[in-house]
Amino acid sequence: MTQLTLKVEGMSCGHCVNSVEGALKQLGASAKVDLGNGSVTVDFDAARLSVDAIKTAIEDQGYDVV
């Protein structure tokens, strides 16, 4: 498993947490949102999922990966 932490702007509430974590779960990744730091830590299989796909899934929920 690979672990990646991304800075994400625009998250502010429980709905944001559920949206991001749910979208990444659908890709087969495990994610933990930290609203205080504005970050998402993702555990994923790098052989099956790319960093670009993770970023796109977050951005598709309406948040900005910086």
Side-chain angles (χ1 to χ4, degrees), residues 1-50:
M1 287 298 248
T2 301
Q3 187 173 76
L4 171 70
T5 300
L6 299 169
K7 292 294 282 180
V8 180
E9 293 181 344
M11 301 183 301
S12 62
C13 65
H15 173 74
C16 301
V17 172
N18 292 337
S19 294
V20 171
E21 290 180 356
L24 294 174
K25 184 175 182 179
Q26 287 182 336
L27 293 179
S30 172
K32 178 69 176 153
V33 173
D34 184 336
L35 292 176
N37 288 339
S39 65
V40 179
T41 301
V42 186
D43 293 310
F44 65 102
D45 181 351
R48 298 182 60 210
L49 187 59
S50 72

Side-chain angles (χ1 to χ4, degrees), residues 47-61:
R48 298 182 60 210
L49 187 59
S50 72
V51 173
D52 285 339
I54 291 168
K55 289 179 180 179
T56 298
I58 294 169
E59 290 170 347
D60 285 349
Q61 297 304 307

